[in-house]
Structures are given as C-alpha cells and as structure tokens.
Amino acid sequence: WDSRAQGLLIDRCLLERELLSSGHAHRGRGHGPAPVPHTFRATQFRSFVRQLYRYGFRKVPGWVGSAAPGDAGAWLHYCNPCFRRDRPDLLLRIK
C-alpha cells in the first residue's frame, strides 16, 4: 500500500523474482524455497502492468521511490479509485 492506502507500491525486481518468474513454480523440496503458487497469469513484468491497466490501475506520474540507496526507480506506484485499504466494498467495482 502507498502512504494514503489508496494505491500499490511495487518493487519491480522483487515482484519479478518472487512472483512472476516461471522458474519458481518448478522448485521442489531441497532445491531452494518452497514453490510459489501462480498468483498472476503473467510471467513478465510488462504483462503484469498490462493486467493492472486492464483492471483500471494507472501509474502515478512523477512518483519515484527506491528500495535502497543507489537503487532509484525500483518502486513503482499504481492507483485505482476502487482500490482502497479502508474500502473493501469497492473491490467489487474492479472488473
């Protein structure tokens, strides 16, 4: 969540590595972390962003964040008026 609880803050590298990478679905016991279920249909970041746009999310222009010093631009900010932490009832409007 962003600081206003009205949008997503996405660490692109972390999202790609832990949720989008198709390699995680094939890991078994004794070969690293437990497999991650396929939460998203996308396996590439640009496909994930297309899905965000399809569901009415828009990138917040001019917002720059960083995960660590020297890692500028690692965090991306997306908003949707029906995606608010304090209003789960609005989720039904996202189609």
Side-chain angles (χ1 to χ4, degrees):
W1 293 100
D2 63 14
S3 61
R4 296 183 326 194
Q6 296 179 358
L8 296 170
L9 290 177
I10 299 171
D11 178 333
R12 179 180 176 161
C13 294
L14 187 63
L15 182 79
E16 287 178 324
R17 183 175 64 242
E18 294 193 6
L19 296 177
L20 299 182
S21 175
S22 60
H24 284 283
H26 302 296
R27 288 186 179 169
R29 282 198 166 117
H31 297 99
V36 175
H38 278 277
T39 306
F40 304 107
R41 291 167 53 174
T43 58
Q44 295 183 359
F45 187 75
R46 70 174 178 243
S47 297
F48 174 77
V49 170
R50 270 196 304 268
Q51 287 181 23
L52 284 177
Y53 279 94
R54 180 176 292 144
Y55 289 106
F57 285 84
R58 296 295 176 250
K59 188 172 183 182
V60 177
W63 195 89
V64 177
S66 63
D71 197 12
W75 290 90
L76 302 169
H77 190 197
Y78 290 89
C79 285
N80 179 320
C82 295
F83 188 80
R84 295 179 51 175
R85 185 171 50 208
D86 61 341
R87 295 288 310 274
D89 58 298
L90 293 176
L91 290 174
L92 296 173
R93 296 183 183 178
I94 299 176
K95 305 233 185 247

